[in-house]
Amino acid sequence: MFKLGKTFMTGFTSLIIVSMVMTGCGSNSSGNSGNSSNSGNNGSSGSSAANVNNSSAPASGEKVAGGTVRVAMATEPDNLDPYLSAATDTGSMMDNVFDGLFEAGTNSELVPALAESYKVSEDGLNYTFSLKKGVKFHDGSDLTSEDVYYSYAKLSGLNGNKPLSSKFTAIESIDTPDEHTVVVKLKAKDAAFLAANIVAIVPKDYEQQSTKPIGAGPFKFASYTPGQQLVLEKNEQFYDNARKPVLDRVEFKFMPDANASVLALKSGEIDMLPGISAQGALQLGSGFHIVSGPQNMVQLMALNHEVQPLNDVKVRQAINYAIDKDIIIQTVADGNGAKLGSNMSPAMKMYYQEGLDKRYEPDTEQAKKLLKEAGYENGFKLTITVPSNYKFHVDTAQVIAEQLKAVGIEATIKQIEWSSWLEDVYNNAKYEATIVGLTGKLDPHEVLGRYESTYAKNFFKFSSSEYDELMSKGRQEIDENKRAELYKQAQTILAEQAAAVYIMDPSRSVALKDHLHGFTMYPVQKYDFAAMYYTK
């Protein structure tokens, strides 16, 4: 027995993140991440020439068909294959190449993409998706249920290989009764499953996604030149008439130097700069506008719980007491950030546990007391590893290193390339402390599940049976209010155990030429170039 699902635009109410509330509307720069962490430079308003909003300035001239947008990106793709990439910046670029069954809406709702409709069984175990007809991949092949089966079998491990995503390991079986119907059966109720269906659907049996990616999105992969650029071209046969791109081409220029990016925007070498700093915005002058808003991201200093003395909760608590987050927000983010107390942004209003940001008010004496109790009365040495191409995190590390001196902790800042950070820190947890940003997701389990002891990418090495139990219950709880309470309890455990130093959710700003329009901020990092266009 199945019950019909609600309509897409009004359904999925349990996944909607209510209005995002944050202080300020812009910051110096900040870090983002996918399932891992990807740090990015973010900016603020403040330029006299800028319109500051969460969507692009309204077009005042006639829309122009075609055109190329050149975008400065701080990082290169870590992998063009959507199933092997961990970096949010990569996802932001390649999201234009791939479509999933759903996509994220501006209010964190799920909106239809490749799926036309869905229904869920009364026991919450069976999900039936009806696919849109007439959808073609960029190689000209038709999208069918077999492509969804192939994609989800890779992600879940049903193809006999290692699962590529923990979000899909709850799948027990996948059936394809016809070319446009997919039935997914779960092992147990999983309240987070629907939100996972924004993942890319790829053509079956195609194994060259890392070199020549093929999807069904509004733009096609054209070329990738390491160290220089990634180029996308308009998909003339895109299936969704309402979302057909106006632009002909998008060129992502790899420019790790933030100052050079600002100069390139001013000189006309690029047309769009995500994550512009407050200082950069002030440099622009006339001819530009800025889109700014909250990004549902958590900047933190992760602590490796398997490294001494960070395996001692008193030491981790002492570090938290030694750090003044308000000073970091004022000096690094120009005051444009929401102070945090756990790995959840207030943007996730329904699931956010209030008050945790006050759990560790700066207290040097309390920090020293805890260090003495832990056997480190004279302090210790600490290495803070930071991705070198993200000034925001480097600046944060410098402030924290100064603050830790007051309690006898001698911190050394180790800057490494982003690719090395992904390999050493994120994949292999070879670090002591690190400062990065973790992007928000559409579902709270995707945010807090990073700390489960069974999560393969738990680079914190945090382990708590009580926490794991709450995560398990939260994933199976369908009642929205009960589920929210479980995740609030989980946040409290993270705070009490000082799993990390949770710093802030900084706002993010994007600078664009005045005649480039259609850019909108999303609760997840997303650049929808299909909606963008030039005016005369």
Side-chain angles (χ1 to χ4, degrees), residues 214-499:
I214 292 176
F219 287 87
K220 300 186 295 184
F221 170 80
S223 66
Y224 170 45
T225 306
Q228 296 183 36
Q229 66 177 5
L230 168 68
V231 180
L232 308 181
E233 294 177 345
K234 176 166 56 174
N235 176 14
E236 298 284 0
Q237 297 188 355
F238 186 55
Y239 64 92
D240 189 342
N241 288 328
R243 293 175 53 219
K244 277 193 173 180
V246 176
L247 298 170
D248 289 328
R249 184 178 171 99
V250 181
E251 297 176 359
F252 297 100
K253 308 288 187 179
F254 307 130
M255 307 180 74
D257 187 297
N259 293 327
S261 298
V262 174
L263 293 175
L265 181 61
K266 288 185 66 177
S267 67
E269 295 176 44
I270 60 171
D271 310 295
M272 174 177 165
L273 175 53
I276 188 169
S277 68
Q279 293 84 355
L282 289 169
Q283 292 177 41
L284 290 181
S286 61
F288 305 92
H289 64 277
I290 291 181
V291 180
S292 188
Q295 58 183 314
N296 185 21
M297 187 272 281
V298 173
Q299 188 203 31
L300 53 76
M301 182 167 76
L303 305 172
N304 189 338
H305 292 215
E306 289 188 345
V307 173
Q308 289 185 343
L310 302 177
N311 58 340
D312 190 323
V313 64
K314 289 186 176 181
V315 171
R316 300 194 302 269
Q317 290 173 339
I319 291 173
N320 271 270
Y321 277 118
I323 293 174
D324 191 328
K325 301 172 189 177
D326 289 318
I327 289 178
I328 298 172
I329 293 171
Q330 290 300 322
T331 58
V332 180
D334 299 311
N336 297 311
K339 185 165 64 172
L340 302 179
S342 77
N343 203 123
M344 184 73 77
S345 164
M348 301 280 282
K349 188 172 182 180
M350 180 172 186
Y351 298 98
Y352 176 71
Q353 178 59 62
E354 296 183 357
L356 295 180
D357 58 314
K358 298 178 175 61
R359 170 65 178 79
Y360 297 101
E361 295 290 357
D363 190 333
T364 301
E365 293 308 312
Q366 179 64 10
K368 289 180 177 179
K369 178 176 179 292
L370 287 168
L371 287 175
K372 183 177 180 179
E373 291 175 2
Y376 295 92
E377 183 176 3
N378 297 319
F380 58 91
K381 293 182 178 180
L382 178 70
T383 300
I384 304 175
T385 303
V386 191
S388 59
N389 53 323
Y390 290 119
K391 187 174 182 295
F392 188 80
H393 297 320
V394 174
D395 290 348
T396 299
Q398 291 170 343
V399 175
I400 287 178
E402 283 298 314
Q403 293 178 344
L404 291 178
K405 285 182 181 179
V407 297
I409 299 175
E410 183 183 337
T412 300
I413 299 172
K414 177 183 177 183
Q415 297 188 44
I416 62 175
E417 294 182 355
W418 175 240
S419 58
S420 297
W421 188 95
L422 286 170
E423 180 64 21
D424 297 343
V425 180
Y426 181 61
N427 289 331
N428 295 306
K430 294 180 179 178
Y431 77 105
E432 294 179 358
T434 188
I435 298 176
V436 288
L438 299 178
T439 52
K441 302 292 181 180
L442 296 183
D443 187 89
H445 197 94
E446 290 190 65
V447 176
L448 298 178
R450 294 169 167 133
Y451 295 85
E452 286 185 277
S453 59
T454 55
Y455 182 53
K457 299 296 185 180
N458 177 0
F459 67 97
F460 307 89
K461 298 304 178 182
F462 176 80
S463 181
S464 164
S465 58
E466 183 183 4
Y467 187 88
D468 289 349
E469 184 178 357
L470 287 169
M471 288 293 98
S472 177
K473 290 180 178 178
R475 192 155 198 166
Q476 298 178 54
E477 181 56 65
I478 301 301
D479 183 284
E480 197 173 65
N481 294 318
K482 292 180 181 178
R483 191 169 186 240
E485 183 55 36
L486 291 168
Y487 288 116
K488 288 180 179 179
Q489 292 177 38
Q491 291 168 59
T492 301
I493 291 177
L494 292 180
E496 293 298 329
Q497 290 294 311

Side-chain angles (χ1 to χ4, degrees), residues 30-46:
S30 74
N32 305 55
S33 154
N35 261 347
S36 72
S37 313
N38 175 4
S39 321
N41 295 323
N42 290 288
S44 84
S45 57

